[in-house]
Amino acid sequence: MPNGAELFVATAVELGIDTVFTLVGDHLNEVLAVAARSGMRVVDMRHESGVAHAADAWARIHRRPALSLVTGGPGHTNSLTGLATANLAGSPLIAVSGSRPSTMAHRQAFQDIDQVGMARPVVKWAAEVPEAGEIPRYLRQAYATANAGRRGCVHLTVPVDVMTAQTAQPPPGDRLLCPKAPFLRRVDRDVCPRSVVEMLREAERPVVIAGSGVWWAGAEEALRRFVEQTSLPLYTITMARGTVSDDHPLVMGYADPALNYAVHTAFREADLFLVVGKRIDYRLAMGGARLFPEGARFIQIDVHEEELGLNRPLEVGICADARVALEAMTEAAGPEPWAPRPWLARVRELRDEWLARLAEQGRDESGPMHPAAFFRELRRALPRDVLYSWDGGDFAHWGRATLEARQAGGWLRLGPLGTIGSSLPNSVALQLAHPGRPVAMITGDGALGFYLAEMDSLVRHKLPVVLIVGNDAGWGLERELQRSATRGAATVACELQSARYDLIMRGFGGGGETVERLDEVAPAVERAFAAGVPYCLNVKIRGVRSPFTEWQIAGKKKG
């Protein structure tokens, strides 16, 4: 008779899960042994929240549910930030925690805590598996719930005695009780797309904003064909970055007003917005007057009906999968590509003006290095097919404003929770998913500290990620916010040591060096990507307000 762990692994394999992210603990020993014997890839890491972040990134990269396994008690509590991050990002993470034996519940047992109750507020669904024979049903339900509608994180607690107990329930066969793919709502091709296309055709200054829903729907090609058919300017954000390359003549860069100041004017001049797979949220100024004109009309496409019109009245709301909707609208647009409007030249002009402003700041060659000058040199040195794992903070924001997104699925960010530090565990998943491809993780020195020991995970798993750390010895963004609020008074709790993060990587068995001058950047980047091991570039910069921070400060002053 199989035990619970064998049922768990067999069901996971049936569901197409071949990789598990974990940090070992006594509650997991049986299931990890079974997973290893089955041939499942076991990626062991150094912090439970890092485990959850890496599994979340794996789910985002592959556009399907991913699995994390952590031990109960403090292992579970450590993981909760990763669960919340995945859920807000719409990422289908199946987060499984072990626990004390089920027979010891509510008896003051070691590490007995209400894990399901703690997880429930930050996930789509949470449950504790009551007995070994129920594991297949619960795991299938977790998979289906995580992957349905707007995807999100789910949690299962599986007590250790449930994992080890034998059961008469046979291992699952080929049948699958829950669907592998999310339901795609059909679009009425004779009504909705045709009316939307006519609105777009009649508008003088239309704009397309694409968000993560495009990536999750596998709609990269559908989006490209749609904008090429209609000659509409496209702005991308979140996981849509790179779905159509920034090099494409119809792509105008980031839709984020904190990183692309061209949209401050372009969006205020536009008369119609088609928002595809993107919440109208804080990244788009809540749809308000700070970014959009009062009279502009909005069309929104989202798989989650509750998002439609949440923060901005809509002319049309379409509850549908982004790919289905875009294909229907492309068909409705007619057989011949639309002629470009004069508006297209206007938004290109605004884009070029903003890029020129960034380039001007990048000409500052005084020391310590200005972040814009560093990213000017980095842009020239990076491999063209590089994949990015981005963190937060002023240094990373300079890079996000400067560097192009060219690769679909190659622009990993923190998500709506803004979980700084997660770029390092995210990079573990990104390099695992793309062996042989260049991966750059870009972070500040403050954010790097959260999961510093995951450098060891990179080395142990032979993942040659290049870590680029902007070292200004402080929490740069908060430093600038405090200086603005106090008119230059001394900052509080913002200063750090100027540590040698490259030496820490070398201590774990990777490579690294410190970069202090602009003429050192290109040779150091070349050495880093050629090293074949995880490599840390400890980049000495001066703290300078990024466009992101300037936008935040301006908003606080208006508020």
Side-chain angles (χ1 to χ4, degrees):
M1 292 191 297
N3 66 15
E6 290 166 334
L7 284 176
F8 184 93
V9 171
T11 305
V13 170
E14 171 196 301
L15 290 163
I17 296 172
D18 59 6
T19 300
V20 58
F21 295 85
T22 192
L23 198 162
V24 70
D26 185 43
H27 300 148
L28 306 178
N29 284 331
E30 178 67 18
V31 70
L32 290 177
V34 173
R37 288 198 302 268
S38 76
M40 182 176 283
R41 176 162 49 183
V42 178
V43 184
D44 56 311
M45 299 181 65
R46 295 291 300 272
H47 191 284
E48 288 89 356
S49 191
V51 166
H53 289 315
D56 162 21
W58 189 260
R60 296 193 216 182
I61 294 161
H62 292 91
R63 295 184 276 209
R64 63 174 185 266
L67 178 64
S68 68
L69 276 173
V70 303
T71 195
H76 174 78
T77 59
N78 280 348
S79 74
L80 288 173
T81 294
L83 274 61
T85 298
N87 198 49
L88 279 183
S91 180
L93 168 62
I94 303 172
V96 179
S97 299
S99 80
R100 46 60 190 145
S102 60
T103 56
M104 299 298 291
H106 313 301
R107 297 175 60 191
Q108 301 300 323
F110 181 59
Q111 295 184 338
D112 186 14
I113 193 169
D114 183 7
Q115 297 183 174
V116 172
M118 295 176 74
R120 191 168 281 133
V122 296
V123 298
K124 289 181 72 175
W125 177 72
E128 180 170 323
V129 181
E131 58 185 63
E134 288 285 275
I135 284 177
R137 183 171 72 85
Y138 274 79
L139 190 52
R140 290 181 185 129
Q141 181 62 49
Y143 188 106
T145 302
N147 213 30
R150 182 177 291 283
R151 296 166 174 86
C153 181
V154 296
H155 166 71
L156 287 177
T157 283
V158 186
V160 62
D161 59 334
V162 172
M163 281 292 194
T164 57
Q166 291 188 321
T167 176
Q169 169 74 28
D174 294 332
R175 65 189 178 87
L176 196 62
L177 299 182
C178 297
K180 282 191 176 183
F183 174 71
L184 305 184
R185 185 168 301 197
R186 295 181 61 189
V187 174
D188 188 337
R189 292 174 181 263
D190 294 328
V191 181
C192 195
R194 197 167 301 282
S195 64
V196 167
V197 164
E198 288 308 310
M199 289 173 60
L200 291 167
R201 194 191 297 272
E202 293 168 5
E204 295 182 8
R205 298 176 301 280
V207 160
V208 180
I209 298 173
S212 293
V214 169
W215 170 252
W216 287 110
E220 307 96 285
E221 187 64 17
L223 177 63
R224 183 190 62 79
R225 287 199 302 266
F226 173 73
V227 295
E228 288 179 349
Q229 185 69 17
T230 57
S231 299
L232 298 179
L234 170 65
Y235 296 84
T236 60
I237 195 167
T238 58
M239 287 293 289
R241 296 288 290 139
T243 53
V244 182
S245 172
D246 280 350
D247 293 335
H248 193 286
L250 291 169
V251 177
M252 303 300 149
Y254 245 123
D256 192 331
L259 295 164
N260 180 5
Y261 282 17
V263 305
H264 298 182
T265 302
F267 287 5
R268 281 195 287 266
E269 292 182 2
D271 59 0
L272 179 62
F273 293 88
L274 173 62
V275 183
V276 184
K278 175 71 186 92
R279 295 163 167 157
I280 302 175
D281 59 4
Y282 68 102
R283 276 284 171 255
L284 297 179
M286 311 303 286
R290 189 179 182 199
L291 188 59
F292 299 104
E294 183 178 350
R297 297 179 298 167
F298 275 72
I299 302 163
Q300 187 179 8
I301 300 169
D302 203 286
V303 73
H304 192 220
E305 190 168 2
E306 286 79 358
E307 295 294 340
L308 298 175
L310 180 61
N311 286 315
R312 177 86 186 200
L314 303 178
E315 198 77 11
V316 178
I318 303 174
C319 184
D321 173 86
R323 179 177 56 80
V324 173
L326 286 166
E327 288 175 350
M329 289 192 298
T330 302
E331 181 180 324
E336 298 298 324
W338 297 3
R341 298 169 172 80
W343 168 241
L344 194 57
R346 171 61 174 159
V347 293
R348 283 177 178 153
E349 175 188 25
L350 293 170
R351 176 199 60 191
D352 293 345
E353 288 174 359
W354 169 238
L355 294 178
R357 285 177 59 185
L358 289 173
E360 179 62 32
Q361 294 181 81
R363 282 191 275 273
D364 182 341
E365 298 193 354
S366 59
M369 286 185 288
H370 190 296
F374 168 77
F375 280 108
R376 178 198 70 193
E377 295 301 314
L378 181 66
R379 181 174 177 268
R380 295 169 178 168
L382 283 172
R384 187 172 176 81
D385 61 343
V386 67
L387 308 172
Y388 295 103
S389 178
W390 291 100
D391 220 292
D394 259 344
F395 176 71
H397 295 323
W398 277 108
R400 291 168 61 212
T402 303
L403 300 178
E404 295 89 352
R406 295 192 178 102
Q407 310 296 327
W411 192 273
L412 279 183
R413 281 279 295 129
L414 308 180
L417 196 59
T419 313
I420 59 172
S422 61
S423 65
L424 182 44
N426 287 351
S427 75
V428 170
L430 190 58
Q431 188 71 82
L432 273 173
H434 298 285
R437 290 284 299 277
V439 172
M441 183 203 113
I442 299 181
T443 183
D445 51 341
L448 180 64
F450 282 94
Y451 302 107
L452 198 63
E454 301 302 351
M455 287 182 175
D456 171 66
S457 300
L458 290 174
V459 173
R460 285 186 296 105
H461 294 291
K462 297 179 171 57
L463 302 172
V465 174
V466 174
L467 279 67
I468 301 171
V469 185
N471 190 341
D472 63 353
W475 297 97
L477 195 157
E478 300 305 328
R479 179 195 284 150
E480 294 303 322
L481 292 177
Q482 286 191 18
R483 285 173 175 169
S484 172
T486 61
R487 294 181 173 83
T491 60
V492 179
C494 292
E495 307 309 318
L496 301 171
Q497 295 186 70
S498 183
R500 289 291 302 275
Y501 299 105
D502 55 318
L503 295 183
I504 297 172
M505 176 64 90
R506 288 166 65 181
F508 279 121
E513 60 187 280
T514 289
V515 178
E516 299 188 73
R517 301 195 316 269
L518 290 172
D519 61 359
E520 296 173 342
V521 174
V525 170
E526 183 177 353
R527 286 189 292 271
F529 281 103
V533 296
Y535 203 98
C536 177
L537 296 178
N538 181 47
V539 181
K540 294 292 191 73
I541 59 164
R542 68 178 185 265
V544 182
R545 287 181 188 175
S546 68
F548 181 95
T549 303
E550 294 284 10
W551 171 259
Q552 299 300 317
I553 290 171
K556 289 177 182 292
K557 289 179 178 178
K558 286 184 178 181

